[in-house]
Each structure stands twice: as C-alpha cells, then as structure tokens.
Amino acid sequence: MNKTHELNWHRNLIILAIGVFIGGIAFSEVVPFLSLYIDTLGEFNHQQLNFWSGLVFSGTFIVGAFISPLWGKLADKRGRKTIILISSASMSVVMTGMGLVTNVVQLFLLRMLQGFFAGYISNSNALVATQVPDKESGKALGTMTAAFTAGQLLGPFVGGAMSSAFSYRVTFFLTGALLLCCFIFSLLFVQEEFHPVASQKMDKTSDVIKSLRSPQLIFGLLLTTVIIQAATNSINPIVSLYVRQLMHGRGNYVFIAGVIAALPGIATFLAAARLGAWGDKIGTHKIILLGMYSAIVFFALTAFVQNNWQLGILRFLVGFSDACLFPQVQTMLTKNTPSYATGRIFSWNQSAMYIGNICGPLIGSTISGLTNYNYVFLATAALVVLNLVLFHVNVLKNMQR
C-alpha cells in the first residue's frame, strides 16, 4: 500500500468517525424530551401522548429499514462519498425543520424523512471498510462503532442539557448545524477513489446475491444483526421499571436507571476497537462466539439480581458482549463481500439493525406485560442461544467451505 493511500484511509477514518459520533448524538438526543416536545404541539390526553410518542420515535427506524438498501444500491453505483454528502446535508435540513413544526403530524413526517435520508452511518462504514487493509479492518470498524456508541451515549445528555438551557426548538437548530458541519468536513476532507465495476450488473438484488462467494454466510450474518439488536433493545423498555422494583419505589430511581442504562454503551465504547484488533489476529468469528456465550451468561444472571449494584455490574459486562458482536459482524461482512457490493451489503445490515431496534422493545414489553421483568432477561438469553445456533449453521459451516 502506497503512503498516499494509507494517508487517505487514516484521514477518512478520523473524519468519518467524528461524523458518526455527531450522527449518534443526533439520533439519540431527542430521547429525554421527545414526548415533552410533542406535548407542546397540541392538546393530548395520556393515551394520545403515549401513542404519538411511540409513533414519532419509531417512524425513523421503520422508514430506514426499507430505504437503506436503496441508498446502498445507489452508493455502489455513484460512490459512498456522494451518498454521505446527500445524507448529511438532508438530515441537517430535516433536523432544523423539526424545530419549526407547528403540529405533531409535521413532526412525524419529518422523523420519517430522517429515516429516509439515514444513509450516513452505513455508507461511512462502507467507505472505511473498502479502503482499510484487511489486517486493520476489525480495528477500524471497531473505532467507527465506538464513535457511534459514544455519540449515542452523549446524545441524551446533550439533548437534555441544550433543551434545559435553551428550548426544544433551539436544540433541533443546533443539531442541524452540527450535521451541516458533518457535510462540510466530509466534502472537504473525505477522499474516495471510486471506480464503478462495469463488468458487474448490480441493478437487481439477485445480481448482488450471485456475486457473493457465500450468500448463506452473508444472510446468516444479517440475521445475526437482527437478533443482536433485538436482544440488546429488548431490555430498554423495562430497565427503569426493574430498577424501581429493586429499590422498592424509594430513592432517586430515575437517576439510577439512567446510569445503569448507559453502562453497556460505556463498556462497548471502551472495548470495541481493542476487540476488533484482537479479532484481526485470532479470527473475527471467535470474537463473535465469545460475545454470544458471554451474553447468554450475563443476561441469564441478570434475571436473579437482588440489588442495583449487581444489575449495574452485569449491564456493564453486557456492554463488552455487545462490543464482540455488532462491529465484528460488520468486519466479517467486509471480509466476505466484494468491494463493488459493500455499500449494498452494509445498507442491508443497517436495515437489519433497524428491524432489531423495532422488534426488541416489542419483545421486552410484551413479555414483561405477560409475566414479570425477570423473564425478559431469561427470554433474551434464550434469544441469544437461538442466535448462537443459527450462527453455527449459517456462518461457521459456510466458512469451512
């Protein structure tokens, strides 16, 4: 590898890691005040407010799950940088528009538009994946995941702080400005030598599948992403309620729940790049297996905790399991996908992530409603066991061919 190319991918990694960090903030900062903002947009009773809050929050993920493959297809034809610029500029406009809405329907439509233009993260990962040397791919994609995770962790704090210091609307304006900075930095500093592969007809999904060395392995990894995200997010709806139960309704359980909810992300941020580098040396699939086995143990033990210290420790350890999973799945996708189809495959993976984001909370809330909170963790452990079995069948067996 020549020095110019090495300099380019290092610079791209730094700029795009900063970009996905800001993107993580933009996607998560609304969590503390979205329902409160909706409440200012009309007269709602309790049921209506809950309904609109759920609908507005999930609108981004529902649309993104369907649209991401189209952006991936376009990225493989026109270049990943082009889609990165379109996405960052569009999301800047959309986010600014959220601060100007006058009713909840407008906000819902803009949240759906946010999902429509949510191609920045997947194509940033795809651009890095296609440029980085194979021996560095785990570490590089782990760095991207750590940056996005850090943004998601900081987002609720930033959103809460800005909305308290200014207003809900000003928070959207400032976030729009940050996303505009992503566009400017990407335009000026990200470089891509994109060469469409004329000999490959990639217009149809079937063409992409035929170009893969092992389609079953790729789709096995995509299914792994769905289950990883579902398992991770199945806990989210009940964490604060579980904390309140452990504290018997006494004390500042809201604050404690917030700390405990952030612990997995902190662990993932600390470990993702290091585990990615380790996977580059010993085999990425071994890191994924380590993540699944440890997640099964940690989730199962969480069902039997007696206090918040035990809960916090286990949730922190789950973050290390998470660091073994999603970024390493991306690394395996990179190593088993031809470069001209990377954008498409990474967009499929983002759709899989969105599907898991939608299904996970539904699973957690349904099980907790039918039984109790402890069974949510046991069911999640069982879900990871299923993931482990499918990973052996769809991925590991196909690696040996």
Side-chain angles (χ1 to χ4, degrees), residues 48-94:
Q48 290 172 331
L49 183 59
N50 286 336
F51 169 78
W52 277 111
S53 296
L55 192 63
V56 170
F57 186 80
S58 62
T60 297
F61 300 114
I62 294 171
V63 174
F66 289 101
I67 296 299
S68 287
L70 299 180
W71 286 117
K73 179 179 179 179
L74 189 59
D76 286 335
K77 289 184 175 182
R78 304 296 182 185
R80 285 103 203 181
K81 179 177 177 179
T82 300
I83 306 306
I84 286 171
L85 295 176
I86 292 173
S87 178
S88 55
S90 301
M91 286 201 299
S92 175
V93 173
V94 169

Side-chain angles (χ1 to χ4, degrees), residues 164-208:
S164 298
F166 304 105
S167 69
Y168 304 137
R169 295 183 184 275
V170 171
T171 301
F172 287 114
F173 298 153
L174 293 175
T175 305
L178 286 174
L179 290 169
L180 180 61
C181 291
C182 287
F183 168 79
I184 295 172
F185 290 149
S186 299
L187 176 65
L188 296 179
F189 301 114
V190 171
Q191 293 188 10
E192 179 186 25
E193 296 179 5
F194 180 73
H195 303 287
V197 182
S199 61
Q200 295 290 334
K201 294 182 179 180
M202 305 294 288
D203 288 335
K204 299 179 181 179
T205 300
S206 58
D207 296 328
V208 180

Side-chain angles (χ1 to χ4, degrees), residues 75-383:
D76 286 335
K77 289 184 175 182
R78 304 296 182 185
R80 285 103 203 181
K81 179 177 177 179
T82 300
I83 306 306
I84 286 171
L85 295 176
I86 292 173
S87 178
S88 55
S90 301
M91 286 201 299
S92 175
V93 173
V94 169
M95 193 65 68
T96 302
M98 290 183 194
L100 300 173
V101 299
T102 58
N103 59 64
V104 70
V105 175
Q106 294 173 356
L107 180 62
F108 173 61
L109 293 175
L110 285 172
R111 287 281 295 177
M112 293 180 71
L113 270 180
Q114 183 181 352
F116 183 88
F117 290 112
Y120 187 89
I121 307 298
S122 62
N123 283 287
S124 294
N125 283 323
L127 193 151
V128 169
T130 54
Q131 292 186 335
V132 68
D134 285 345
K135 64 180 181 179
E136 300 276 0
S137 59
K139 183 178 180 180
L141 290 172
T143 299
M144 294 290 284
T145 298
F148 182 64
T149 301
Q152 285 188 309
L153 281 173
L154 192 59
F157 172 77
V158 172
M162 288 197 300
S163 61
S164 298
F166 304 105
S167 69
Y168 304 137
R169 295 183 184 275
V170 171
T171 301
F172 287 114
F173 298 153
L174 293 175
T175 305
L178 286 174
L179 290 169
L180 180 61
C181 291
C182 287
F183 168 79
I184 295 172
F185 290 149
S186 299
L187 176 65
L188 296 179
F189 301 114
V190 171
Q191 293 188 10
E192 179 186 25
E193 296 179 5
F194 180 73
H195 303 287
V197 182
S199 61
Q200 295 290 334
K201 294 182 179 180
M202 305 294 288
D203 288 335
K204 299 179 181 179
T205 300
S206 58
D207 296 328
V208 180
I209 295 174
K210 290 177 183 177
S211 74
L212 302 174
R213 287 176 304 193
S214 178
Q216 188 175 351
L217 184 149
I218 296 298
F219 283 101
L221 289 170
L222 296 178
L223 181 59
T224 297
T225 293
V226 173
I227 301 178
I228 289 170
Q229 291 300 115
T232 301
N233 288 282
S234 66
I235 311 302
N236 291 345
I238 60 101
V239 167
S240 58
L241 299 175
Y242 197 38
V243 169
R244 185 176 66 179
Q245 175 178 291
L246 291 171
M247 297 179 68
H248 306 290
R250 296 190 296 270
N252 192 358
Y253 52 81
V254 175
F255 173 77
I256 299 297
V259 172
I260 289 176
L263 288 175
I266 294 172
T268 300
F269 169 69
L270 294 174
R274 292 176 176 84
L275 286 168
W278 191 23
D280 289 333
K281 294 179 180 179
I282 69 171
T284 304
H285 64 286
K286 294 180 181 179
I287 303 297
I288 294 175
L289 289 173
L290 173 64
M292 290 185 184
Y293 283 119
S294 60
I296 292 167
V297 173
F298 298 148
F299 280 128
L301 290 176
T302 305
F304 304 100
V305 300
Q306 299 297 315
N307 56 60
N308 284 320
W309 284 106
Q310 296 172 352
L311 177 61
I313 291 170
L314 286 170
R315 292 301 291 161
F316 185 73
L317 292 174
V318 163
F320 288 106
S321 298
D322 291 343
C324 292
L325 295 172
F326 186 69
Q328 312 314 321
V329 167
Q330 288 187 309
T331 302
M332 283 198 71
L333 287 172
T334 300
K335 294 178 178 179
N336 292 277
T337 301
S339 60
Y340 51 79
T342 303
R344 199 84 59 92
I345 299 302
F346 268 58
S347 68
W348 291 357
N349 195 50
Q350 182 166 335
S351 292
M353 181 182 70
Y354 285 155
I355 293 170
N357 287 343
I358 295 167
C359 294
L362 292 176
I363 293 172
S365 58
T366 300
I367 293 175
S368 62
L370 294 175
T371 55
N372 60 49
Y373 304 135
N374 304 73
Y375 283 100
V376 176
F377 296 99
L378 293 176
T380 302
L383 192 60

